[in-house]
Amino acid sequence: MLRSRRSVLSAIAAGLVVGSLALPTSASALTLGFAQVGAESEWRTANTVSIKEAAKAAGITLKFSDAQQKQENQIKAIRSYIAQKVDVIAFAPVVTTGWDTVLMEAKKAKIPVILTDRSIETKDPSLYVTMIGSDFTEEGQKAAKWLLDNYKTPGDVNIVELQGTVGSAPAIERKKGFEEGIKGEPRFKITRSQTGDFTRAKGKEVMEAFLKTDKNIQVLFAHNDDMAIGAIQAIEAAGMKPGKDIIIVSIDAVKGAFEAMMAGKLNVTVECNPQLGPQLMTVVKEVKAGKEQPKWVKTVEGVFPMETAAKEFPNRKY
Ligand code: GYE
């Protein structure tokens, strides 16, 4: 009796050994389904490059899709990853709400979900393992702080705002942070605010419309560099000097912003780091290995005023 039990145990042990011997191959063949927002900005392009390169370096098979800034496309992509039985799903949610149904489907299929870059609103936080990305509220606060510290001309300061994609975490939170930051200083007022969908073309278009109806604009706050760069073109076309006649504050700190700062056309950019790929791959492996994750892996970032641009430019990676 005892003997046979022992032999069962050793058979199990042998099985475990075989199982663990087989592990390295199966671990290196992890498949990650990644549903990207789109290709709307320089930031996004850098983010995509980071994810693709990091997956390759980590030996993770990547299935990648571009949702062209549409939630329905991201939902379709996530469903197809579930159908393909990938090991892990990651995505940068284009907007904050409306994810519960598809994430429930992933949960039922026992596929862990990691959020990158943008957060979601959900009553059930167990629908995702962790979120890797920036503190957008803090970025908005940093933009406001730079403005209050540096805008010395007396009188009213009329600020026009170019918002990011409607309903996206960075648009909601950057706005909130910036508003909190200027609250105590009544001469700083947001006089116009509209979405430019995080793109150059839209940033230009909306700034043109602002300038047509409003001659009294002192500051532009753009939720990202691409919209600021589009707006710079509109300001120049209206015969004004961007960076002087209108002070421009934006977010991301991509190379295009450094070029604009070196040309004296953009006053400051608050950093938002798109290079989330390596962190994501580490988390993918750890999640599959059963390691607990914090609910938010925060990115560390700085602020770059115009005067620092030439010195910093050669060090920029995106
Ligand atoms: O700031 C913007 C991009 O979600 C942080 O999305 C990202 C934002 C980034 O389109 O340029």
Side-chain angles (χ1 to χ4, degrees), residues 121-247:
E121 264 177 53
T122 176
K123 287 209 182 71
D124 182 1
S126 79
L127 292 178
Y128 67 93
V129 181
T130 183
M131 135 80 186
I132 306 168
S134 308
D135 186 334
F136 300 136
T137 309
E138 200 178 298
E139 291 172 353
Q141 287 164 344
K142 285 180 187 165
K145 182 174 186 327
W146 181 89
L147 187 63
L148 297 194
D149 290 348
N150 291 279
Y151 197 95
K152 297 296 177 204
T153 317
D156 281 352
V157 188
N158 294 338
I159 305 166
V160 296
E161 180 183 33
L162 285 172
Q163 293 183 37
T165 302
V166 176
S168 69
I172 297 166
E173 292 162 16
R174 285 171 183 170
K175 180 170 187 49
K176 180 172 152 258
F178 187 83
E179 283 173 349
E180 282 168 11
I182 60 167
K183 215 184 203 160
E185 298 279 345
R187 76 184 187 110
F188 291 85
K189 274 189 283 286
I190 297 177
T191 48
R192 286 170 198 280
S193 183
Q194 214 173 296
T195 181
D197 215 10
F198 281 131
T199 68
R200 278 185 199 207
K202 267 294 198 105
K204 180 167 182 251
E205 196 183 302
V206 176
M207 193 65 199
E208 267 164 12
F210 284 166
L211 291 166
K212 237 179 231 158
T213 47
D214 193 346
K215 301 285 166 251
N216 194 11
I217 301 170
Q218 280 74 47
V219 173
L220 162 66
F221 168 46
H223 288 190
N224 80 343
D225 292 335
D226 283 77
M227 292 190 295
I229 292 165
I232 285 171
Q233 294 168 13
I235 294 169
E236 287 180 324
M240 282 184 277
K241 288 202 168 65
K244 294 189 181 70
D245 298 332
I246 295 180
I247 300 300

Side-chain angles (χ1 to χ4, degrees), residues 40-41 43-44 117-118 136 170 174 198 223-224 252 272:
E40 73 282 2
S41 64
W43 190 99
R44 189 64 54 198
D117 161 25
R118 299 182 180 181
F136 300 136
R174 285 171 183 170
F198 281 131
H223 288 190
N224 80 343
D252 274 357
C272 181

